[in-house]
Amino acid sequence: MSASGFDVQTVAFLARLKLSLEEEDRLGRQFEQILAHIDKLNTLDTSNVEPTSHAIPLQNVFREDKAETRFPDEDYLSLSPAQYKDHYEVPQIIG
Amino acid sequence: MALMEFETVIGLEVHAQLKTDSKIFCSCSTRFGCEPNENTCPICLGMPGVLPVLNKRAVEYALKACLATHCEVERTNIFDRKNYFYPDLPKGYQISQFTLPIGRHGRITLQGNGIPKVIGITRIHMEEDAGKSIHGDNLGKPGKSYVDFNRTGVPLVEIVSEPEIRSAEEAREYLMILRSILEYSEVSDCNMEEGSFRCDANVSIRPVGQKEMGTRAEVKNINSFKFVQKAIEYEVERQSQVLRQGDQVVQETRLYDANRGVTFSMRSKEEAHDYRYFPEPDLAPIVIDEDWIKRAQSGLPELPEEKRDRFVKDYGIPEYDAGVLTASRALADYFEACIRTFNEPKAISNWIMSELLRELKSANKDISECPVTPENLAKLLKMVHDNTISGKIAKTVFEDMIASGKSPETVVEEKNLVQISDEGAIETLIDDVISANPEQAEQYRSGKDKVIGFLVGQVMKASKGKANPGLVNKMFQKKLRG
């Protein structure tokens, strides 16, 4: 873990990425730079700014509860690497 | 050394499916029992570049669930992304609510053994369901898993209780009450077999008197009320043994195996559960104003607790009866429909709780499938009340009604079961009994009261149960002692 608290190995594990030592080093440093850059935002005085959770001033965007098949002829299953009996086949999850 | 005494601490997380027609963020159907992967589209399959749009009815149902459990409504609530990898989660994150859930600080009141106990509700939030996985040779090859995304994106509310439940029995009652509240307010079918009402239990124990919580295990995969109780009882016993042996309980997720009646470790919870929640940028905040809350409130029906109190007050039936009758809205409606035909609440309540529920249980039927209409049940009880038939005959008639769906009048007429209240006819029967049993008749005449039971019984037998027993009793007295 670096001085800023950023741990490249943990983040790589959470993203299921396997990094070489060279990549760990390089990406770690790049992330540090990015974080340092973002940290500049923290120097702004936001005490008079309402917290916001969304970039666009929108609220209550809804659709009506109506069931319909959007693309009836689309065979999504065939886009996957492996299928079996109308199911998506994936590596074993639990033993 | 004395055995250590432990206190059980339970918190429950319930996932209830909101009964919308379409999914929470796309228009795919939520219908149960379709072909695998039939109800999917680019949105619920997590294709790049798609835009989820929130189903308004899902919010309305979640709001109702909050109000029905006395939650404070978060006026501005938002969705977050919960990031983790699992094959049944195609986007690599679940859209859920984390920082600002729709409801907080609610409560449910348990009735227990007549002493009410309040269990706090920490929060209620909306989220999308994940898909369904089938493992290995349950469908195909060992070493593979198989995923059906029909359920992916089905709207849920997760209802989290405070860790204030102290026994498996209380956990069961909490769930029964929560289910009836959700059913009453018509936000969920709460069908456990179809997975529309699921429960995870956080269970820990601590020595009696200790303030700090013990290490907890999360028990998943409990899909019936009976199993909730059994799984928790098993878990409490297991943890007690661990502690008594001087070992430590491990924080982990355990699955309940209903066949073996045990819980077993699924994965250790210590390892990185770092969901990296952040606000979902594709969905706008939900703002619920006073007006919307008022509309939702006025759309709520009378809830189980209010209905129970009203039944006690208006119909004068015991708390216990009222509790049984209001456990499901359909049963409560049935009861009240009976009363409209025949206003004897206690007689009706007795009959429903004993005969009716027993027959339905043995036929494995729900009250909504009951072949006897409330009007017909009320008419049957009125016939008993008016002495048209005896209580005993009524049971026979009722069995016939359950089997055939016929009205009580039809059954009584077809089987010629009308009670004999004609004094002439009864007198003939009494005379026959006296001459066949002179000894008992004499005993009764000379003051031995108990013999009357035998004598009346003989008349009832001779009349095939149709004689009016009260009248028979009176006429014996008049004849032998008058």
Side-chain angles (χ1 to χ4, degrees), chain B residues 416-478:
Chain B
N416 188 23
L417 294 170
V418 176
Q419 180 154 282
I420 304 169
S421 294
D422 170 54
E423 295 199 13
I426 291 181
E427 188 161 14
T428 316
L429 291 169
I430 285 183
D431 290 343
D432 289 350
V433 167
I434 290 175
S435 55
N437 305 279
E439 205 175 307
Q440 283 86 350
E442 190 45 44
Q443 284 174 353
Y444 181 67
R445 204 194 308 269
S446 57
K448 212 172 162 196
D449 286 340
K450 268 163 90 184
V451 192
I452 190 72
F454 169 80
L455 294 169
V456 173
Q458 294 303 304
V459 173
M460 294 309 291
K461 206 166 146 190
S463 71
K464 299 197 176 74
K466 290 193 293 183
N468 177 340
L471 191 58
V472 174
N473 209 308
K474 237 183 264 165
M475 287 178 65
F476 261 119
Q477 276 185 36
K478 209 166 116 196

Coordinates of all heavy atoms in Angstrom, one line a residue, chain B residues 416-478:
Chain B
N416 N -81.7 -36.3 4.0 CA -82.7 -36.3 5.0 C -82.2 -36.2 6.4 O -82.4 -37.1 7.2 CB -83.5 -37.6 4.8 CG -84.8 -37.7 5.6 OD1 -85.3 -36.7 6.0 ND2 -85.2 -38.9 5.9
L417 N -81.5 -35.1 6.7 CA -80.9 -34.9 8.0 C -81.5 -33.9 8.9 O -81.0 -33.6 9.9 CB -79.4 -34.5 7.7 CG -78.5 -35.5 7.0 CD1 -77.2 -34.9 6.7 CD2 -78.3 -36.8 7.9
V418 N -82.8 -33.4 8.5 CA -83.4 -32.4 9.3 C -83.6 -33.0 10.7 O -84.1 -34.1 10.9 CB -84.7 -31.9 8.6 CG1 -85.4 -30.9 9.6 CG2 -84.4 -31.3 7.3
Q419 N -83.3 -32.1 11.7 CA -83.5 -32.5 13.1 C -84.9 -32.8 13.4 O -85.8 -32.1 13.0 CB -82.9 -31.4 13.9 CG -83.0 -31.7 15.4 CD -81.9 -30.9 16.1 OE1 -80.8 -31.3 16.1 NE2 -82.4 -29.8 16.7
I420 N -85.2 -33.9 14.1 CA -86.5 -34.2 14.5 C -86.8 -33.4 15.8 O -86.2 -33.6 16.9 CB -86.7 -35.7 14.8 CG1 -86.2 -36.5 13.6 CG2 -88.1 -36.1 15.2 CD1 -86.1 -38.0 13.8
S421 N -87.8 -32.5 15.7 CA -88.2 -31.7 16.9 C -89.7 -31.9 17.1 O -90.3 -31.2 17.9 CB -87.9 -30.2 16.7 OG -86.5 -30.0 16.6
D422 N -90.2 -32.9 16.4 CA -91.6 -33.2 16.5 C -91.8 -34.1 17.8 O -91.3 -35.2 17.9 CB -92.1 -34.0 15.3 CG -93.5 -34.5 15.4 OD1 -94.4 -33.8 15.8 OD2 -93.6 -35.8 15.3
E423 N -92.5 -33.6 18.8 CA -92.6 -34.3 20.1 C -93.2 -35.7 19.9 O -92.8 -36.6 20.6 CB -93.5 -33.4 21.0 CG -92.7 -32.1 21.4 CD -93.3 -31.5 22.6 OE1 -94.0 -32.1 23.4 OE2 -92.9 -30.3 22.8
G424 N -94.2 -35.8 19.0 CA -94.8 -37.1 18.8 C -93.8 -38.1 18.4 O -93.7 -39.2 19.0
A425 N -93.0 -37.8 17.4 CA -92.0 -38.7 16.9 C -91.0 -39.0 17.9 O -90.6 -40.2 18.1 CB -91.4 -38.1 15.7
I426 N -90.6 -38.0 18.7 CA -89.6 -38.3 19.7 C -90.2 -39.1 20.9 O -89.5 -40.0 21.4 CB -89.0 -36.9 20.3 CG1 -88.2 -36.2 19.2 CG2 -88.2 -37.2 21.5 CD1 -87.6 -34.9 19.6
E427 N -91.4 -38.9 21.2 CA -92.0 -39.7 22.3 C -92.0 -41.2 21.9 O -91.8 -42.0 22.8 CB -93.5 -39.2 22.6 CG -94.0 -39.9 23.8 CD -95.2 -39.1 24.4 OE1 -95.8 -38.2 23.7 OE2 -95.6 -39.4 25.5
T428 N -92.3 -41.5 20.7 CA -92.3 -42.9 20.3 C -90.9 -43.5 20.5 O -90.8 -44.6 21.0 CB -92.6 -43.0 18.7 OG1 -93.7 -42.1 18.5 CG2 -93.0 -44.4 18.3
L429 N -89.9 -42.7 20.1 CA -88.5 -43.2 20.3 C -88.2 -43.4 21.8 O -87.6 -44.4 22.2 CB -87.5 -42.2 19.7 CG -87.5 -42.1 18.2 CD1 -86.7 -40.9 17.7 CD2 -87.0 -43.4 17.5
I430 N -88.7 -42.4 22.6 CA -88.4 -42.5 24.0 C -89.0 -43.7 24.6 O -88.4 -44.5 25.4 CB -88.9 -41.2 24.7 CG1 -87.9 -40.1 24.4 CG2 -89.0 -41.4 26.2 CD1 -88.2 -38.8 25.1
D431 N -90.3 -44.0 24.2 CA -91.0 -45.1 24.8 C -90.3 -46.4 24.4 O -90.1 -47.3 25.2 CB -92.4 -45.2 24.2 CG -93.3 -44.1 24.9 OD1 -92.9 -43.5 25.9 OD2 -94.3 -43.7 24.3
D432 N -89.8 -46.5 23.2 CA -89.0 -47.7 22.8 C -87.8 -47.9 23.6 O -87.5 -49.0 24.1 CB -88.6 -47.5 21.3 CG -89.8 -47.6 20.3 OD1 -90.9 -48.0 20.8 OD2 -89.6 -47.3 19.1
V433 N -87.1 -46.7 23.9 CA -85.8 -46.8 24.7 C -86.1 -47.3 26.1 O -85.4 -48.1 26.7 CB -85.1 -45.5 24.6 CG1 -83.9 -45.5 25.7 CG2 -84.5 -45.3 23.2
I434 N -87.2 -46.7 26.7 CA -87.6 -47.1 28.0 C -87.9 -48.6 28.1 O -87.4 -49.3 29.0 CB -88.7 -46.2 28.6 CG1 -88.2 -44.8 28.7 CG2 -89.3 -46.8 29.9 CD1 -89.3 -43.8 29.1
S435 N -88.7 -49.1 27.2 CA -89.0 -50.5 27.3 C -87.9 -51.4 27.0 O -87.8 -52.5 27.5 CB -90.3 -50.8 26.4 OG -90.0 -50.4 25.1
A436 N -86.9 -50.9 26.2 CA -85.7 -51.8 25.9 C -84.7 -51.7 27.1 O -83.9 -52.6 27.2 CB -85.1 -51.3 24.6
N437 N -84.8 -50.6 27.9 CA -83.8 -50.4 29.0 C -84.5 -50.1 30.3 O -84.3 -49.1 30.9 CB -82.8 -49.3 28.6 CG -82.1 -49.5 27.3 OD1 -81.2 -50.3 27.2 ND2 -82.6 -48.9 26.3
P438 N -85.3 -51.0 30.8 CA -86.2 -50.7 32.0 C -85.3 -50.4 33.2 O -85.6 -49.6 34.0 CB -86.9 -52.0 32.2 CG -86.2 -53.1 31.4 CD -85.5 -52.4 30.3
E439 N -84.2 -51.1 33.3 CA -83.3 -50.9 34.5 C -82.8 -49.5 34.6 O -82.9 -48.8 35.6 CB -82.1 -51.9 34.3 CG -81.5 -52.3 35.7 CD -80.4 -53.3 35.4 OE1 -80.7 -54.3 34.8 OE2 -79.3 -53.0 35.8
Q440 N -82.2 -49.0 33.5 CA -81.7 -47.6 33.4 C -82.8 -46.6 33.7 O -82.6 -45.6 34.3 CB -81.0 -47.3 32.1 CG -79.6 -48.0 32.0 CD -79.7 -49.4 31.5 OE1 -80.7 -50.0 31.4 NE2 -78.5 -50.0 31.2
A441 N -84.0 -46.9 33.1 CA -85.1 -45.9 33.2 C -85.5 -45.8 34.7 O -85.7 -44.7 35.2 CB -86.3 -46.4 32.4
E442 N -85.5 -47.0 35.4 CA -85.8 -47.0 36.8 C -84.8 -46.2 37.6 O -85.1 -45.5 38.5 CB -85.9 -48.5 37.3 CG -86.5 -48.6 38.6 CD -87.8 -47.8 38.9 OE1 -88.7 -47.7 38.0 OE2 -87.9 -47.1 39.9
Q443 N -83.5 -46.4 37.3 CA -82.4 -45.7 38.0 C -82.6 -44.2 37.9 O -82.5 -43.5 38.8 CB -81.1 -46.1 37.4 CG -80.6 -47.5 37.8 CD -79.3 -47.9 37.1 OE1 -78.8 -47.2 36.2 NE2 -78.7 -49.0 37.5
Y444 N -83.0 -43.8 36.7 CA -83.1 -42.4 36.5 C -84.3 -41.8 37.3 O -84.3 -40.8 37.9 CB -83.3 -42.0 35.0 CG -83.5 -40.5 34.7 CD1 -82.4 -39.7 35.0 CD2 -84.7 -40.0 34.3 CE1 -82.5 -38.3 34.8 CE2 -84.8 -38.7 34.1 CZ -83.8 -37.8 34.3 OH -83.9 -36.4 34.1
R445 N -85.4 -42.6 37.2 CA -86.6 -42.2 37.9 C -86.4 -42.1 39.4 O -86.8 -41.2 40.1 CB -87.7 -43.3 37.7 CG -89.1 -42.8 37.9 CD -90.2 -43.9 38.0 NE -90.1 -44.9 37.0 CZ -90.8 -44.9 35.8 NH1 -91.6 -43.9 35.6 NH2 -90.7 -45.8 35.0
S446 N -85.5 -43.0 40.0 CA -85.2 -42.9 41.4 C -84.1 -41.9 41.8 O -83.6 -42.0 42.8 CB -84.9 -44.3 41.9 OG -83.8 -44.8 41.3
G447 N -83.7 -41.0 40.8 CA -82.8 -39.9 41.2 C -81.4 -40.0 40.7 O -80.6 -39.1 41.0
K448 N -81.0 -41.0 39.9 CA -79.7 -41.1 39.5 C -79.5 -40.3 38.2 O -79.8 -40.8 37.1 CB -79.3 -42.6 39.3 CG -77.8 -42.9 39.6 CD -77.5 -44.3 39.5 CE -76.0 -44.6 39.4 NZ -75.8 -45.9 39.0
D449 N -79.0 -39.1 38.3 CA -79.0 -38.1 37.2 C -78.1 -38.6 36.0 O -78.5 -38.3 34.9 CB -78.5 -36.8 37.7 CG -79.5 -36.1 38.5 OD1 -80.7 -36.4 38.4 OD2 -79.2 -35.1 39.3
K450 N -77.0 -39.2 36.4 CA -76.1 -39.5 35.3 C -76.6 -40.4 34.2 O -76.1 -40.4 33.1 CB -74.8 -40.2 35.9 CG -73.7 -39.2 36.3 CD -72.7 -39.8 37.3 CE -71.5 -40.4 36.6 NZ -70.7 -41.1 37.6
V451 N -77.6 -41.2 34.5 CA -78.1 -42.2 33.6 C -78.8 -41.5 32.4 O -78.9 -42.1 31.3 CB -79.1 -43.1 34.3 CG1 -79.5 -44.3 33.3 CG2 -78.6 -43.6 35.6
I452 N -79.1 -40.2 32.6 CA -79.8 -39.5 31.5 C -79.0 -39.5 30.2 O -79.5 -39.6 29.1 CB -80.2 -38.1 31.9 CG1 -81.1 -37.4 30.9 CG2 -79.0 -37.2 32.1 CD1 -82.5 -37.9 30.9
G453 N -77.7 -39.4 30.4 CA -76.8 -39.4 29.2 C -76.9 -40.6 28.4 O -77.0 -40.6 27.2
F454 N -77.0 -41.8 29.1 CA -77.2 -43.0 28.4 C -78.5 -43.1 27.7 O -78.6 -43.5 26.5 CB -77.1 -44.2 29.4 CG -77.5 -45.5 28.8 CD1 -76.6 -46.3 28.1 CD2 -78.8 -46.0 29.1 CE1 -77.0 -47.5 27.5 CE2 -79.2 -47.3 28.5 CZ -78.3 -48.0 27.8
L455 N -79.6 -42.7 28.3 CA -80.9 -42.7 27.8 C -81.0 -41.8 26.5 O -81.5 -42.3 25.5 CB -81.9 -42.4 28.8 CG -82.1 -43.4 30.0 CD1 -82.9 -42.8 31.1 CD2 -82.6 -44.7 29.5
V456 N -80.5 -40.6 26.7 CA -80.6 -39.7 25.5 C -79.8 -40.3 24.4 O -80.2 -40.2 23.2 CB -80.1 -38.3 25.9 CG1 -80.0 -37.4 24.7 CG2 -81.0 -37.6 26.9
G457 N -78.6 -40.8 24.7 CA -77.7 -41.4 23.7 C -78.4 -42.5 22.9 O -78.3 -42.6 21.7
Q458 N -79.3 -43.3 23.6 CA -80.0 -44.4 22.9 C -81.0 -43.8 21.9 O -81.2 -44.3 20.8 CB -80.7 -45.3 23.9 CG -79.8 -46.0 24.8 CD -78.8 -46.9 24.1 OE1 -79.3 -47.8 23.3 NE2 -77.5 -46.7 24.3
V459 N -81.7 -42.7 22.3 CA -82.6 -42.1 21.4 C -81.9 -41.5 20.2 O -82.3 -41.6 19.0 CB -83.4 -41.0 22.1 CG1 -84.3 -40.2 21.1 CG2 -84.3 -41.6 23.2
M460 N -80.8 -40.8 20.5 CA -80.0 -40.3 19.4 C -79.6 -41.3 18.4 O -79.6 -41.2 17.2 CB -78.7 -39.5 19.9 CG -79.0 -38.3 20.8 SD -80.1 -37.1 20.0 CE -79.1 -36.5 18.7
K461 N -79.2 -42.5 18.9 CA -78.7 -43.6 18.1 C -79.9 -44.1 17.2 O -79.8 -44.3 16.0 CB -78.2 -44.7 19.0 CG -77.2 -45.6 18.4 CD -76.5 -46.5 19.4 CE -76.2 -47.8 18.9 NZ -75.8 -48.7 20.0
A462 N -81.0 -44.3 17.9 CA -82.2 -44.8 17.2 C -82.6 -43.8 16.1 O -83.1 -44.2 15.0 CB -83.3 -45.0 18.2
S463 N -82.4 -42.5 16.3 CA -82.8 -41.5 15.3 C -81.7 -41.2 14.3 O -81.8 -40.2 13.5 CB -83.3 -40.2 16.0 OG -82.1 -39.5 16.5
K464 N -80.7 -41.9 14.4 CA -79.5 -41.6 13.6 C -79.0 -40.2 13.7 O -78.6 -39.5 12.8 CB -79.8 -41.9 12.1 CG -80.2 -43.4 11.8 CD -80.0 -43.7 10.3 CE -80.3 -45.1 10.0 NZ -81.8 -45.4 10.1
G465 N -79.0 -39.7 15.0 CA -78.5 -38.4 15.3 C -79.4 -37.3 15.0 O -79.0 -36.1 15.1
K466 N -80.6 -37.6 14.5 CA -81.4 -36.5 14.0 C -82.4 -35.9 15.1 O -82.9 -34.8 14.9 CB -82.3 -37.0 12.8 CG -81.4 -37.2 11.6 CD -82.2 -37.3 10.3 CE -83.1 -38.6 10.3 NZ -83.8 -38.8 9.1
A467 N -82.6 -36.6 16.2 CA -83.4 -36.1 17.2 C -82.8 -34.9 17.9 O -81.6 -34.8 18.0 CB -83.7 -37.2 18.3
N468 N -83.6 -33.9 18.3 CA -83.1 -32.7 18.9 C -82.8 -33.1 20.4 O -83.7 -33.4 21.2 CB -84.3 -31.7 18.9 CG -83.9 -30.4 19.6 OD1 -83.0 -30.4 20.5 ND2 -84.6 -29.3 19.3
P469 N -81.5 -33.1 20.7 CA -81.0 -33.7 22.0 C -81.6 -32.9 23.2 O -82.0 -33.5 24.2 CB -79.5 -33.6 22.0 CG -79.2 -32.8 20.8 CD -80.3 -32.7 19.9
G470 N -81.7 -31.6 23.0 CA -82.3 -30.8 24.1 C -83.7 -31.2 24.5 O -84.1 -31.4 25.6
L471 N -84.4 -31.4 23.4 CA -85.9 -31.8 23.5 C -86.0 -33.2 24.1 O -86.8 -33.4 25.0 CB -86.5 -31.7 22.1 CG -88.0 -31.8 22.1 CD1 -88.7 -30.6 23.0 CD2 -88.6 -31.6 20.7
V472 N -85.1 -34.1 23.6 CA -85.2 -35.4 24.1 C -84.9 -35.4 25.7 O -85.6 -36.1 26.4 CB -84.1 -36.3 23.4 CG1 -84.0 -37.7 24.1 CG2 -84.4 -36.4 22.0
N473 N -83.9 -34.7 26.0 CA -83.6 -34.5 27.5 C -84.8 -34.1 28.3 O -85.1 -34.7 29.3 CB -82.4 -33.5 27.6 CG -81.5 -33.8 28.7 OD1 -82.0 -34.0 29.8 ND2 -80.3 -33.8 28.5
K474 N -85.4 -33.0 27.8 CA -86.5 -32.5 28.5 C -87.7 -33.5 28.6 O -88.3 -33.6 29.7 CB -87.0 -31.2 27.8 CG -87.0 -30.0 28.7 CD -87.6 -28.8 27.9 CE -86.4 -27.9 27.3 NZ -86.9 -27.0 26.3
M475 N -87.9 -34.2 27.5 CA -89.1 -35.1 27.5 C -88.8 -36.3 28.4 O -89.8 -36.8 29.0 CB -89.4 -35.5 26.1 CG -90.0 -34.4 25.3 SD -90.4 -34.8 23.6 CE -91.6 -36.0 23.8
F476 N -87.6 -36.7 28.5 CA -87.3 -37.8 29.5 C -87.6 -37.4 30.9 O -88.2 -38.1 31.7 CB -85.8 -38.2 29.4 CG -85.5 -39.4 28.5 CD1 -84.7 -39.3 27.4 CD2 -86.0 -40.7 28.9 CE1 -84.4 -40.4 26.6 CE2 -85.8 -41.8 28.1 CZ -85.0 -41.7 27.0
Q477 N -87.1 -36.2 31.2 CA -87.4 -35.6 32.6 C -88.9 -35.6 32.9 O -89.3 -36.1 33.9 CB -86.9 -34.2 32.7 CG -85.4 -34.1 33.0 CD -85.0 -32.7 33.2 OE1 -85.8 -31.9 33.7 NE2 -83.8 -32.4 32.8
K478 N -89.6 -35.1 31.9 CA -91.1 -35.0 32.1 C -91.7 -36.4 32.3 O -92.5 -36.6 33.1 CB -91.7 -34.3 30.8 CG -92.9 -33.5 31.1 CD -93.3 -32.6 30.0 CE -94.6 -33.0 29.4 NZ -94.8 -32.4 28.0

